[in-house]
Short mmCIF file of all heavy atoms in Angstrom, two decimals:
data_model
loop_
_atom_site.label_atom_id
_atom_site.label_comp_id
_atom_site.label_asym_id
_atom_site.label_seq_id
_atom_site.Cartn_x
_atom_site.Cartn_y
_atom_site.Cartn_z
N LEU O 1 0.84 -1.21 -0.01
CA LEU O 1 0.00 0.00 -0.01
C LEU O 1 0.88 1.26 0.01
O LEU O 1 1.87 1.29 0.68
CB LEU O 1 -0.88 0.06 1.28
CG LEU O 1 -1.97 -1.01 1.42
CD1 LEU O 1 -2.59 -0.87 2.77
CD2 LEU O 1 -3.03 -0.93 0.35
N THR O 2 0.38 2.24 -0.73
CA THR O 2 1.10 3.53 -0.69
C THR O 2 0.81 4.23 0.64
O THR O 2 -0.11 3.84 1.34
CB THR O 2 0.69 4.44 -1.87
OG1 THR O 2 -0.65 4.77 -1.71
CG2 THR O 2 0.93 3.78 -3.20
N GLY O 3 1.54 5.29 0.93
CA GLY O 3 1.32 5.95 2.22
C GLY O 3 -0.11 6.44 2.40
O GLY O 3 -0.74 6.21 3.45
N SER O 4 -0.67 7.09 1.38
CA SER O 4 -2.06 7.64 1.53
C SER O 4 -3.08 6.53 1.57
O SER O 4 -4.05 6.60 2.33
CB SER O 4 -2.39 8.60 0.36
OG SER O 4 -2.42 7.93 -0.89
N LYS O 5 -2.87 5.43 0.85
CA LYS O 5 -3.82 4.28 0.90
C LYS O 5 -3.76 3.65 2.24
O LYS O 5 -4.74 3.16 2.77
CB LYS O 5 -3.54 3.35 -0.25
CG LYS O 5 -3.86 3.87 -1.61
CD LYS O 5 -4.31 2.77 -2.53
CE LYS O 5 -4.55 3.29 -3.89
NZ LYS O 5 -5.87 3.72 -4.11
N ALA O 6 -2.56 3.58 2.83
CA ALA O 6 -2.41 2.96 4.17
C ALA O 6 -3.13 3.80 5.22
O ALA O 6 -3.80 3.24 6.07
CB ALA O 6 -0.93 2.81 4.50
N VAL O 7 -3.00 5.11 5.13
CA VAL O 7 -3.70 6.00 6.02
C VAL O 7 -5.22 5.84 5.88
O VAL O 7 -5.96 5.75 6.87
CB VAL O 7 -3.27 7.44 5.85
CG1 VAL O 7 -4.14 8.43 6.68
CG2 VAL O 7 -1.83 7.57 6.30
N GLN O 8 -5.70 5.84 4.64
CA GLN O 8 -7.13 5.63 4.37
C GLN O 8 -7.59 4.33 4.99
O GLN O 8 -8.68 4.27 5.56
CB GLN O 8 -7.40 5.70 2.88
CG GLN O 8 -7.33 7.04 2.30
CD GLN O 8 -7.49 7.00 0.78
OE1 GLN O 8 -7.40 5.95 0.15
NE2 GLN O 8 -7.77 8.16 0.20
N SER O 9 -6.85 3.29 4.80
CA SER O 9 -7.22 1.99 5.35
C SER O 9 -7.32 2.03 6.89
O SER O 9 -8.25 1.48 7.46
CB SER O 9 -6.22 0.93 4.88
OG SER O 9 -6.51 -0.32 5.43
N LEU O 10 -6.28 2.62 7.51
CA LEU O 10 -6.31 2.72 8.95
C LEU O 10 -7.47 3.58 9.44
O LEU O 10 -8.14 3.26 10.47
CB LEU O 10 -4.99 3.34 9.47
CG LEU O 10 -3.77 2.41 9.40
CD1 LEU O 10 -2.49 3.21 9.72
CD2 LEU O 10 -3.91 1.21 10.32
N TRP O 11 -7.77 4.70 8.77
CA TRP O 11 -8.90 5.57 9.13
C TRP O 11 -10.17 4.77 9.05
O TRP O 11 -11.01 4.77 9.93
CB TRP O 11 -8.94 6.77 8.22
CG TRP O 11 -10.18 7.54 8.28
CD1 TRP O 11 -11.18 7.62 7.36
CD2 TRP O 11 -10.64 8.39 9.36
NE1 TRP O 11 -12.22 8.37 7.76
CE2 TRP O 11 -11.93 8.91 8.98
CE3 TRP O 11 -10.14 8.73 10.60
CZ2 TRP O 11 -12.65 9.69 9.82
CZ3 TRP O 11 -10.88 9.58 11.41
CH2 TRP O 11 -12.11 10.04 11.03
N LYS O 12 -10.40 4.03 7.93
CA LYS O 12 -11.59 3.24 7.76
C LYS O 12 -11.75 2.23 8.85
O LYS O 12 -12.84 2.04 9.46
CB LYS O 12 -11.64 2.59 6.39
CG LYS O 12 -12.91 1.85 6.09
CD LYS O 12 -12.90 1.28 4.68
CE LYS O 12 -14.19 0.47 4.47
NZ LYS O 12 -14.21 -0.18 3.15
N GLN O 13 -10.68 1.53 9.17
CA GLN O 13 -10.68 0.54 10.22
C GLN O 13 -11.04 1.14 11.55
O GLN O 13 -11.86 0.61 12.31
CB GLN O 13 -9.36 -0.18 10.27
CG GLN O 13 -9.28 -1.34 11.22
CD GLN O 13 -7.92 -2.00 11.20
OE1 GLN O 13 -6.91 -1.40 10.91
NE2 GLN O 13 -7.89 -3.30 11.54
N ALA O 14 -10.44 2.26 11.95
CA ALA O 14 -10.70 2.90 13.19
C ALA O 14 -12.15 3.39 13.25
O ALA O 14 -12.86 3.26 14.29
CB ALA O 14 -9.76 4.06 13.38
N ALA O 15 -12.64 3.94 12.15
CA ALA O 15 -14.02 4.44 12.10
C ALA O 15 -14.99 3.29 12.34
O ALA O 15 -15.98 3.37 13.13
CB ALA O 15 -14.31 5.11 10.77
N GLU O 16 -14.77 2.14 11.68
CA GLU O 16 -15.66 0.98 11.83
C GLU O 16 -15.65 0.46 13.29
O GLU O 16 -16.68 0.09 13.81
CB GLU O 16 -15.23 -0.13 10.87
CG GLU O 16 -15.59 0.19 9.42
CD GLU O 16 -15.01 -0.82 8.44
OE1 GLU O 16 -14.30 -1.74 8.84
OE2 GLU O 16 -15.32 -0.67 7.22
N GLN O 17 -14.47 0.44 13.89
CA GLN O 17 -14.35 -0.05 15.23
C GLN O 17 -15.04 0.82 16.27
O GLN O 17 -15.55 0.36 17.33
CB GLN O 17 -12.90 -0.22 15.62
CG GLN O 17 -12.23 -1.36 14.89
CD GLN O 17 -10.73 -1.43 15.15
OE1 GLN O 17 -10.17 -0.54 15.74
NE2 GLN O 17 -10.10 -2.48 14.66
N THR O 18 -15.09 2.14 16.01
CA THR O 18 -15.73 3.09 17.01
C THR O 18 -17.16 3.38 16.69
O THR O 18 -17.82 3.98 17.49
CB THR O 18 -14.97 4.43 16.99
OG1 THR O 18 -15.05 4.99 15.67
CG2 THR O 18 -13.55 4.24 17.42
N GLY O 19 -17.64 2.93 15.53
CA GLY O 19 -19.07 3.16 15.17
C GLY O 19 -19.25 4.45 14.37
O GLY O 19 -20.40 4.89 14.12
N LEU O 20 -18.14 5.09 13.97
CA LEU O 20 -18.26 6.33 13.16
C LEU O 20 -18.60 5.92 11.74
O LEU O 20 -18.06 4.99 11.15
CB LEU O 20 -16.88 7.01 13.13
CG LEU O 20 -16.82 8.39 12.54
CD1 LEU O 20 -17.64 9.40 13.28
CD2 LEU O 20 -15.34 8.86 12.45
N GLU O 21 -19.57 6.64 11.17
CA GLU O 21 -20.00 6.37 9.79
C GLU O 21 -20.31 7.65 9.07
O GLU O 21 -20.75 8.63 9.70
CB GLU O 21 -21.16 5.39 9.76
CG GLU O 21 -22.38 5.84 10.54
CD GLU O 21 -23.46 4.79 10.69
OE1 GLU O 21 -23.61 4.01 9.75
OE2 GLU O 21 -24.10 4.75 11.72
N PRO O 22 -20.16 7.66 7.75
CA PRO O 22 -20.42 8.84 6.97
C PRO O 22 -21.91 9.07 6.82
O PRO O 22 -22.69 8.09 6.80
CB PRO O 22 -19.79 8.57 5.60
CG PRO O 22 -19.70 7.09 5.48
CD PRO O 22 -19.57 6.59 6.93
N VAL O 23 -22.33 10.32 6.71
CA VAL O 23 -23.72 10.69 6.43
C VAL O 23 -23.96 10.40 4.94
O VAL O 23 -23.16 10.83 4.10
CB VAL O 23 -23.97 12.20 6.77
CG1 VAL O 23 -25.34 12.63 6.23
CG2 VAL O 23 -23.85 12.42 8.24
N ALA O 24 -25.04 9.73 4.64
CA ALA O 24 -25.36 9.50 3.21
C ALA O 24 -25.73 10.80 2.53
O ALA O 24 -26.43 11.66 3.10
CB ALA O 24 -26.56 8.50 3.13
N THR O 25 -25.28 10.94 1.32
CA THR O 25 -25.52 12.23 0.56
C THR O 25 -26.06 11.93 -0.81
O THR O 25 -25.70 12.58 -1.77
CB THR O 25 -24.26 13.06 0.50
OG1 THR O 25 -23.21 12.31 -0.08
CG2 THR O 25 -23.86 13.61 1.87
N THR O 26 -26.97 10.96 -0.87
CA THR O 26 -27.69 10.69 -2.11
C THR O 26 -29.17 10.91 -1.85
O THR O 26 -29.64 10.81 -0.71
CB THR O 26 -27.44 9.25 -2.61
OG1 THR O 26 -27.87 8.35 -1.57
CG2 THR O 26 -26.00 9.01 -2.98
N GLY O 27 -29.89 11.28 -2.90
CA GLY O 27 -31.32 11.46 -2.76
C GLY O 27 -31.66 12.88 -2.36
O GLY O 27 -31.02 13.86 -2.77
N LEU O 28 -32.69 13.02 -1.50
CA LEU O 28 -33.16 14.35 -1.14
C LEU O 28 -32.53 14.90 0.12
O LEU O 28 -32.13 14.18 1.02
CB LEU O 28 -34.70 14.30 -0.90
CG LEU O 28 -35.58 14.02 -2.12
CD1 LEU O 28 -36.99 13.91 -1.67
CD2 LEU O 28 -35.40 15.10 -3.16
N PHE O 29 -32.45 16.24 0.12
CA PHE O 29 -31.88 16.99 1.27
C PHE O 29 -32.72 16.68 2.51
O PHE O 29 -33.96 16.70 2.46
CB PHE O 29 -31.90 18.47 0.92
CG PHE O 29 -31.57 19.35 2.10
CD1 PHE O 29 -30.29 19.55 2.47
CD2 PHE O 29 -32.60 20.01 2.77
CE1 PHE O 29 -29.98 20.41 3.52
CE2 PHE O 29 -32.29 20.84 3.84
CZ PHE O 29 -30.97 21.03 4.22
N ASP O 30 -32.08 16.48 3.61
CA ASP O 30 -32.76 16.28 4.93
C ASP O 30 -32.01 17.14 5.93
O ASP O 30 -30.86 16.86 6.25
CB ASP O 30 -32.75 14.81 5.31
CG ASP O 30 -33.49 14.51 6.61
OD1 ASP O 30 -33.65 15.42 7.44
OD2 ASP O 30 -33.92 13.34 6.74
N PRO O 31 -32.65 18.16 6.47
CA PRO O 31 -31.96 19.07 7.39
C PRO O 31 -31.47 18.39 8.67
O PRO O 31 -30.62 19.00 9.38
CB PRO O 31 -33.02 20.15 7.70
CG PRO O 31 -34.35 19.49 7.41
CD PRO O 31 -34.06 18.51 6.30
N ARG O 32 -31.91 17.22 8.95
CA ARG O 32 -31.37 16.47 10.14
C ARG O 32 -29.92 16.02 9.89
O ARG O 32 -29.20 15.83 10.87
CB ARG O 32 -32.25 15.28 10.46
CG ARG O 32 -33.66 15.68 10.91
CD ARG O 32 -34.48 14.45 11.16
NE ARG O 32 -34.67 13.75 9.85
CZ ARG O 32 -35.24 12.59 9.71
NH1 ARG O 32 -35.67 11.91 10.77
NH2 ARG O 32 -35.34 12.01 8.52
N TYR O 33 -29.58 15.83 8.64
CA TYR O 33 -28.27 15.23 8.26
C TYR O 33 -27.41 16.11 7.38
O TYR O 33 -26.24 15.87 7.22
CB TYR O 33 -28.49 13.87 7.58
CG TYR O 33 -29.30 12.94 8.43
CD1 TYR O 33 -30.64 12.65 8.06
CD2 TYR O 33 -28.80 12.35 9.52
CE1 TYR O 33 -31.41 11.80 8.80
CE2 TYR O 33 -29.52 11.45 10.28
CZ TYR O 33 -30.88 11.20 9.93
OH TYR O 33 -31.58 10.34 10.69
N HIS O 34 -28.08 17.10 6.73
CA HIS O 34 -27.37 17.92 5.72
C HIS O 34 -27.47 19.40 6.02
O HIS O 34 -28.48 19.86 6.58
CB HIS O 34 -28.00 17.66 4.33
CG HIS O 34 -28.09 16.21 4.00
ND1 HIS O 34 -29.31 15.59 3.75
CD2 HIS O 34 -27.13 15.23 3.83
CE1 HIS O 34 -29.14 14.33 3.50
NE2 HIS O 34 -27.82 14.08 3.57
N GLU O 35 -26.50 20.12 5.58
CA GLU O 35 -26.51 21.55 5.57
C GLU O 35 -26.38 22.03 4.12
O GLU O 35 -25.40 21.70 3.44
CB GLU O 35 -25.35 22.12 6.37
CG GLU O 35 -25.26 23.64 6.40
CD GLU O 35 -24.05 24.15 7.15
OE1 GLU O 35 -23.35 23.39 7.83
OE2 GLU O 35 -23.84 25.36 7.08
N ALA O 36 -27.42 22.74 3.62
CA ALA O 36 -27.43 23.19 2.22
C ALA O 36 -26.56 24.47 2.15
O ALA O 36 -26.87 25.46 2.76
CB ALA O 36 -28.81 23.50 1.75
N ILE O 37 -25.50 24.37 1.39
CA ILE O 37 -24.58 25.51 1.26
C ILE O 37 -25.05 26.39 0.10
O ILE O 37 -24.84 27.57 0.08
CB ILE O 37 -23.15 24.98 0.95
CG1 ILE O 37 -22.63 24.17 2.12
CG2 ILE O 37 -22.19 26.12 0.66
CD1 ILE O 37 -22.62 24.90 3.45
N GLY O 38 -25.78 25.78 -0.86
CA GLY O 38 -26.30 26.60 -1.96
C GLY O 38 -27.19 25.72 -2.83
O GLY O 38 -27.38 24.52 -2.61
N GLU O 39 -27.84 26.42 -3.82
CA GLU O 39 -28.76 25.76 -4.75
C GLU O 39 -28.24 26.04 -6.17
O GLU O 39 -27.64 27.06 -6.47
CB GLU O 39 -30.15 26.34 -4.63
CG GLU O 39 -30.87 26.10 -3.33
CD GLU O 39 -32.22 26.73 -3.32
OE1 GLU O 39 -32.33 27.93 -3.57
OE2 GLU O 39 -33.21 25.97 -3.06
N GLU O 40 -28.52 25.07 -7.05
CA GLU O 40 -28.19 25.21 -8.45
C GLU O 40 -29.38 24.80 -9.28
O GLU O 40 -30.06 23.85 -8.92
CB GLU O 40 -27.00 24.34 -8.81
CG GLU O 40 -25.69 24.70 -8.19
CD GLU O 40 -24.57 23.74 -8.57
OE1 GLU O 40 -24.82 22.75 -9.29
OE2 GLU O 40 -23.47 23.98 -8.19
N ALA O 41 -29.61 25.53 -10.38
CA ALA O 41 -30.70 25.16 -11.28
C ALA O 41 -30.34 23.75 -11.86
O ALA O 41 -29.21 23.51 -12.24
CB ALA O 41 -30.80 26.17 -12.41
N SER O 42 -31.31 22.89 -11.87
CA SER O 42 -31.10 21.52 -12.34
C SER O 42 -32.41 20.91 -12.86
O SER O 42 -33.48 21.38 -12.50
CB SER O 42 -30.57 20.70 -11.16
OG SER O 42 -30.47 19.34 -11.50
N ASP O 43 -32.25 19.89 -13.67
CA ASP O 43 -33.46 19.14 -14.10
C ASP O 43 -33.83 18.10 -13.09
O ASP O 43 -34.89 17.50 -13.19
CB ASP O 43 -33.10 18.43 -15.42
CG ASP O 43 -32.93 19.40 -16.59
OD1 ASP O 43 -33.54 20.48 -16.55
OD2 ASP O 43 -32.18 19.09 -17.52
N GLU O 44 -33.08 17.95 -12.02
CA GLU O 44 -33.40 17.05 -10.91
C GLU O 44 -34.54 17.68 -10.13
O GLU O 44 -34.67 18.90 -10.10
CB GLU O 44 -32.20 16.82 -10.02
CG GLU O 44 -31.04 16.09 -10.64
CD GLU O 44 -31.34 14.66 -10.97
OE1 GLU O 44 -32.13 14.04 -10.26
OE2 GLU O 44 -30.77 14.13 -11.94
N PRO O 45 -35.31 16.88 -9.39
CA PRO O 45 -36.37 17.46 -8.54
C PRO O 45 -35.75 18.41 -7.50
O PRO O 45 -34.66 18.18 -7.01
CB PRO O 45 -36.97 16.21 -7.86
CG PRO O 45 -36.62 15.05 -8.73
CD PRO O 45 -35.29 15.38 -9.36
N ALA O 46 -36.49 19.46 -7.14
CA ALA O 46 -36.04 20.40 -6.15
C ALA O 46 -35.68 19.67 -4.86
O ALA O 46 -36.40 18.77 -4.40
CB ALA O 46 -37.11 21.44 -5.91
N GLY O 47 -34.53 20.06 -4.29
CA GLY O 47 -34.12 19.49 -2.98
C GLY O 47 -33.22 18.21 -3.19
O GLY O 47 -32.75 17.73 -2.17
N THR O 48 -33.04 17.78 -4.39
CA THR O 48 -32.14 16.66 -4.61
C THR O 48 -30.69 17.09 -4.40
O THR O 48 -30.28 18.14 -4.85
CB THR O 48 -32.28 16.12 -6.09
OG1 THR O 48 -33.59 15.70 -6.28
CG2 THR O 48 -31.29 14.96 -6.32
N ILE O 49 -29.92 16.27 -3.70
CA ILE O 49 -28.54 16.58 -3.45
C ILE O 49 -27.78 16.35 -4.76
O ILE O 49 -27.78 15.28 -5.33
CB ILE O 49 -27.94 15.68 -2.32
CG1 ILE O 49 -28.69 16.02 -1.03
CG2 ILE O 49 -26.45 15.91 -2.19
CD1 ILE O 49 -28.36 15.10 0.15
N LEU O 50 -27.08 17.43 -5.19
CA LEU O 50 -26.28 17.36 -6.44
C LEU O 50 -24.89 16.93 -6.15
O LEU O 50 -24.30 16.22 -6.99
CB LEU O 50 -26.36 18.71 -7.17
CG LEU O 50 -27.74 19.17 -7.60
CD1 LEU O 50 -27.66 20.55 -8.21
CD2 LEU O 50 -28.37 18.16 -8.57
N ARG O 51 -24.31 17.45 -5.14
CA ARG O 51 -22.91 17.07 -4.78
C ARG O 51 -22.62 17.40 -3.31
O ARG O 51 -23.25 18.26 -2.74
CB ARG O 51 -21.90 17.69 -5.70
CG ARG O 51 -21.75 19.19 -5.63
CD ARG O 51 -20.66 19.65 -6.66
NE ARG O 51 -20.46 21.04 -6.52
CZ ARG O 51 -21.20 21.97 -7.13
NH1 ARG O 51 -22.17 21.62 -7.91
NH2 ARG O 51 -20.93 23.26 -6.98
N THR O 52 -21.66 16.74 -2.79
CA THR O 52 -21.20 16.90 -1.42
C THR O 52 -19.96 17.77 -1.40
O THR O 52 -19.01 17.48 -2.08
CB THR O 52 -20.90 15.51 -0.79
OG1 THR O 52 -22.02 14.66 -0.93
CG2 THR O 52 -20.49 15.68 0.65
N LEU O 53 -20.01 18.83 -0.61
CA LEU O 53 -18.88 19.74 -0.47
C LEU O 53 -18.03 19.28 0.69
O LEU O 53 -16.77 19.37 0.62
CB LEU O 53 -19.35 21.20 -0.30
CG LEU O 53 -20.25 21.66 -1.43
CD1 LEU O 53 -20.79 23.05 -1.08
CD2 LEU O 53 -19.51 21.70 -2.74
N THR O 54 -18.61 18.91 1.79
CA THR O 54 -17.89 18.40 2.99
C THR O 54 -18.64 17.23 3.52
O THR O 54 -19.84 17.30 3.74
CB THR O 54 -17.84 19.53 4.06
OG1 THR O 54 -17.28 20.70 3.52
CG2 THR O 54 -17.00 19.05 5.24
N PRO O 55 -17.96 16.09 3.76
CA PRO O 55 -18.68 14.94 4.22
C PRO O 55 -19.19 15.18 5.64
O PRO O 55 -18.59 15.95 6.43
CB PRO O 55 -17.66 13.83 4.19
CG PRO O 55 -16.31 14.51 4.15
CD PRO O 55 -16.55 15.86 3.51
N GLY O 56 -20.24 14.50 6.00
CA GLY O 56 -20.78 14.55 7.34
C GLY O 56 -20.49 13.24 8.04
O GLY O 56 -20.19 12.19 7.42
N TRP O 57 -20.57 13.25 9.37
CA TRP O 57 -20.26 12.07 10.17
C TRP O 57 -21.27 11.84 11.25
O TRP O 57 -21.79 12.73 11.85
CB TRP O 57 -18.88 12.20 10.80
CG TRP O 57 -17.80 12.29 9.74
CD1 TRP O 57 -17.22 13.45 9.26
CD2 TRP O 57 -17.26 11.27 8.99
NE1 TRP O 57 -16.32 13.13 8.24
CE2 TRP O 57 -16.37 11.78 8.01
CE3 TRP O 57 -17.47 9.86 8.95
CZ2 TRP O 57 -15.65 11.04 7.14
CZ3 TRP O 57 -16.74 9.11 8.05
CH2 TRP O 57 -15.85 9.67 7.16
N MET O 58 -21.55 10.56 11.51
CA MET O 58 -22.46 10.15 12.56
C MET O 58 -21.74 9.16 13.47
O MET O 58 -20.86 8.40 13.02
CB MET O 58 -23.68 9.47 11.99
CG MET O 58 -24.51 10.39 11.08
SD MET O 58 -25.95 9.58 10.42
CE MET O 58 -26.91 9.35 11.89
N LEU O 59 -22.12 9.13 14.75
CA LEU O 59 -21.60 8.20 15.69
C LEU O 59 -22.72 7.64 16.48
O LEU O 59 -23.47 8.42 17.13
CB LEU O 59 -20.57 8.91 16.61
CG LEU O 59 -19.90 8.04 17.63
CD1 LEU O 59 -19.01 6.96 16.96
CD2 LEU O 59 -19.01 8.87 18.55
N HIS O 60 -22.96 6.35 16.38
CA HIS O 60 -24.02 5.64 17.08
C HIS O 60 -25.35 6.33 16.83
O HIS O 60 -26.16 6.54 17.73
CB HIS O 60 -23.73 5.54 18.57
CG HIS O 60 -22.43 4.87 18.89
ND1 HIS O 60 -22.14 3.61 18.60
CD2 HIS O 60 -21.27 5.40 19.46
CE1 HIS O 60 -20.91 3.31 18.97
NE2 HIS O 60 -20.37 4.38 19.43
N GLY O 61 -25.66 6.69 15.55
CA GLY O 61 -26.94 7.22 15.19
C GLY O 61 -27.10 8.75 15.46
O GLY O 61 -28.15 9.27 15.15
N ARG O 62 -26.05 9.38 15.95
CA ARG O 62 -26.17 10.86 16.23
C ARG O 62 -25.22 11.57 15.28
O ARG O 62 -24.10 11.12 15.02
CB ARG O 62 -25.75 11.14 17.65
CG ARG O 62 -26.72 10.50 18.66
CD ARG O 62 -26.44 10.91 20.01
NE ARG O 62 -26.77 12.34 20.16
CZ ARG O 62 -26.74 13.03 21.21
NH1 ARG O 62 -26.40 12.43 22.36
NH2 ARG O 62 -27.04 14.31 21.28
N VAL O 63 -25.75 12.70 14.76
CA VAL O 63 -24.93 13.48 13.83
C VAL O 63 -23.88 14.23 14.61
O VAL O 63 -24.14 15.01 15.50
CB VAL O 63 -25.81 14.47 13.05
CG1 VAL O 63 -24.98 15.37 12.14
CG2 VAL O 63 -26.87 13.72 12.25
N LEU O 64 -22.59 14.00 14.21
CA LEU O 64 -21.48 14.78 14.77
C LEU O 64 -21.24 16.03 13.91
O LEU O 64 -20.95 17.08 14.44
CB LEU O 64 -20.20 13.94 14.82
CG LEU O 64 -20.21 12.71 15.66
CD1 LEU O 64 -18.89 11.99 15.53
CD2 LEU O 64 -20.36 13.11 17.10
N GLN O 65 -21.33 15.85 12.62
CA GLN O 65 -21.15 16.98 11.68
C GLN O 65 -22.07 16.72 10.50
O GLN O 65 -22.00 15.64 9.88
CB GLN O 65 -19.71 17.05 11.18
CG GLN O 65 -19.51 18.06 10.13
CD GLN O 65 -18.06 18.16 9.65
OE1 GLN O 65 -17.14 18.17 10.48
NE2 GLN O 65 -17.87 18.25 8.37
N ALA O 66 -22.94 17.65 10.20
CA ALA O 66 -23.81 17.52 9.03
C ALA O 66 -23.00 17.61 7.78
O ALA O 66 -21.97 18.30 7.71
CB ALA O 66 -24.85 18.64 9.06
N ALA O 67 -23.39 16.90 6.75
CA ALA O 67 -22.80 16.99 5.45
C ALA O 67 -23.18 18.29 4.79
O ALA O 67 -24.33 18.67 4.82
CB ALA O 67 -23.21 15.80 4.56
N ARG O 68 -22.22 18.99 4.22
CA ARG O 68 -22.49 20.22 3.53
C ARG O 68 -22.67 19.91 2.04
O ARG O 68 -21.78 19.30 1.41
CB ARG O 68 -21.40 21.23 3.74
CG ARG O 68 -21.31 21.65 5.19
CD ARG O 68 -20.24 22.68 5.46
NE ARG O 68 -20.34 23.11 6.83
CZ ARG O 68 -19.48 22.71 7.78
NH1 ARG O 68 -18.41 21.96 7.45
NH2 ARG O 68 -19.64 23.16 9.03
N VAL O 69 -23.82 20.28 1.50
CA VAL O 69 -24.21 19.83 0.14
C VAL O 69 -24.77 20.98 -0.69
O VAL O 69 -25.22 22.02 -0.19
CB VAL O 69 -25.26 18.70 0.20
CG1 VAL O 69 -24.69 17.45 0.90
CG2 VAL O 69 -26.53 19.13 0.90
N MET O 70 -24.70 20.79 -2.03
CA MET O 70 -25.42 21.66 -2.97
C MET O 70 -26.67 20.95 -3.39
O MET O 70 -26.64 19.69 -3.60
CB MET O 70 -24.55 21.92 -4.20
CG MET O 70 -23.31 22.76 -3.97
SD MET O 70 -23.68 24.42 -3.49
CE MET O 70 -24.23 25.09 -5.02
N ILE O 71 -27.78 21.65 -3.44
CA ILE O 71 -29.05 20.98 -3.82
C ILE O 71 -29.65 21.65 -5.06
O ILE O 71 -29.33 22.74 -5.42
CB ILE O 71 -30.07 21.08 -2.63
CG1 ILE O 71 -30.40 22.50 -2.26
CG2 ILE O 71 -29.55 20.27 -1.46
CD1 ILE O 71 -31.50 22.61 -1.22
N ALA O 72 -30.54 20.89 -5.67
CA ALA O 72 -31.19 21.30 -6.94
C ALA O 72 -32.33 22.26 -6.63
O ALA O 72 -33.01 22.17 -5.63
CB ALA O 72 -31.74 20.09 -7.69
N LYS O 73 -32.51 23.24 -7.54
CA LYS O 73 -33.68 24.08 -7.58
C LYS O 73 -34.20 24.11 -9.01
O LYS O 73 -33.42 23.82 -9.92
CB LYS O 73 -33.36 25.49 -7.10
CG LYS O 73 -32.52 26.33 -8.00
CD LYS O 73 -32.40 27.72 -7.50
CE LYS O 73 -31.57 28.58 -8.49
NZ LYS O 73 -31.43 29.93 -8.04
N PRO O 74 -35.44 24.38 -9.20
CA PRO O 74 -36.00 24.36 -10.56
C PRO O 74 -35.33 25.47 -11.40
O PRO O 74 -34.93 26.48 -10.86
CB PRO O 74 -37.48 24.64 -10.36
CG PRO O 74 -37.78 24.45 -8.93
CD PRO O 74 -36.47 24.62 -8.21
N HIS O 75 -35.32 25.23 -12.70
CA HIS O 75 -34.84 26.26 -13.62
C HIS O 75 -35.79 27.43 -13.58
O HIS O 75 -37.01 27.29 -13.43
CB HIS O 75 -34.76 25.73 -15.04
CG HIS O 75 -33.66 24.79 -15.30
ND1 HIS O 75 -32.33 25.20 -15.42
CD2 HIS O 75 -33.64 23.42 -15.44
CE1 HIS O 75 -31.56 24.13 -15.62
NE2 HIS O 75 -32.33 23.04 -15.63
N SER O 76 -35.31 28.70 -13.69
CA SER O 76 -36.17 29.86 -13.74
C SER O 76 -36.91 29.86 -15.07
O SER O 76 -36.38 29.49 -16.09
CB SER O 76 -35.39 31.16 -13.66
OG SER O 76 -34.26 31.02 -12.86
N SER O 77 -38.12 30.37 -15.03
CA SER O 77 -38.93 30.46 -16.27
C SER O 77 -38.74 31.78 -16.92
O SER O 77 -38.58 32.75 -16.32
CB SER O 77 -40.39 30.21 -15.97
OG SER O 77 -40.58 28.98 -15.35
#
């Protein structure tokens, strides 16, 4: 393993052992788990997460840090 891959592997292993897990960032925005940093016009339904800017983390079902995301808004007419 390269240095960065080794660190990633150790981080993943430590996270799994402590119960730390990433916040899911697919589908619709949910203010319990996500922080909307901005909106972009999109053909996706309003509120759909388009991309993750900063990952979020949960520990034993509690949000430690909300995921910061960009969400879809309808195109202007």
